Amino acid sequence: MQPFKTERILRVLIGILLGTFVYVIFDAVHERIIGVGDSAPGFSIRTDNGRTITARDFGGKLLVLNFWATWCPPCISELPSLDRFSEEFSDSGVVVLAISVDKDEKIYRRFLERAQPGFLTARDPEAKISGDYGTFKYPETYIIDTNGKVVRKLIADQDWTDERIVTDVKSLLRSSPT
């Protein structure tokens, strides 16, 4: 009778271990991709101007969170219009934060010296923050409202001066709770 009980306990333990193993593998492989309507993942990053910024540090403003890299031609082509957009909306309650996933800091710094964007920039060489958003294609931009909800997700480069984007952002500002 004793060998049967031991065998049964071993089978149950093996079943539990196998279930746990499958769950761990699934969880590791299954990436969460943030979309419109989701809560924006929290983050903390030191910007290039020395400020430490968190996802909640925007004081009731709309956050345009752009993930990019210097090695990404579409990212580079959208930066001038993003800069003009940032300038146009800076007094309207919009903050632009562009987080680069560049690993090479020297190349990143040289690029910023030439481009001199007028919005907040930061570098996340391990792509931790973009990974938390499920971003794997650059550029990718999230517009996050004052409640921390993603209200727009834009994949690929944009013309930020396009009237449709400008009108959409203005409507988001009007509907944004204060």
Side-chain angles (χ1 to χ4, degrees):
M1 190 78 163
Q2 188 69 11
F4 177 72
K5 190 175 183 179
T6 304
E7 183 179 315
R8 190 163 191 204
I9 290 171
L10 283 174
R11 284 184 182 193
V12 168
L13 287 174
I14 288 171
I16 291 170
L17 287 172
L18 184 59
T20 303
F21 178 72
V22 168
Y23 173 77
V24 167
I25 295 283
F26 174 78
D27 190 51
V29 172
H30 183 264
E31 289 185 44
R32 180 156 190 254
I33 297 177
I34 302 300
V36 172
D38 291 335
S39 291
F43 64 86
S44 178
I45 193 164
R46 188 169 187 81
T47 63
D48 293 318
N49 68 3
R51 269 179 65 194
T52 298
I53 298 290
T54 68
R56 304 287 181 228
D57 275 345
F58 295 95
K61 296 186 178 189
L62 204 61
L63 172 61
V64 175
L65 180 61
N66 176 266
F67 295 108
W68 70 287
T70 60
W71 44 260
C72 163
C75 299
I76 303 309
S77 72
E78 92 169 337
L79 282 180
S81 72
L82 185 59
D83 200 32
R84 288 190 300 277
F85 170 88
S86 172
E87 186 177 316
E88 179 179 338
F89 282 96
S90 66
D91 295 331
S92 303
V94 176
V95 173
V96 175
L97 172 61
I99 299 178
S100 169
V101 295
D102 277 278
K103 292 193 182 298
D104 190 319
E105 186 172 4
K106 288 179 186 173
I107 291 173
Y108 170 74
R109 298 270 174 225
R110 272 189 298 219
F111 176 82
L112 287 181
E113 283 175 21
R114 285 192 318 271
Q116 296 186 355
F119 47 81
L120 290 172
T121 56
R123 190 174 72 94
D124 180 20
E126 302 305 316
K128 165 87 175 85
I129 297 169
S130 62
D132 289 346
Y133 280 77
T135 295
F136 58 90
K137 182 179 181 205
Y138 302 100
E140 190 164 285
T141 305
Y142 297 82
I143 300 178
I144 302 166
D145 73 9
T146 58
N147 294 318
K149 294 284 186 197
V150 174
V151 292
R152 299 292 182 271
K153 179 177 179 177
L154 304 166
I155 302 171
D157 56 320
Q158 306 296 316
D159 175 358
W160 288 92
T161 61
D162 183 282
E163 192 57 38
R164 290 173 294 193
I165 291 177
V166 170
T167 301
D168 187 37
V169 169
K170 286 178 180 177
S171 75
L172 290 171
L173 287 168
R174 282 191 300 273
S175 66
S176 174
T178 53

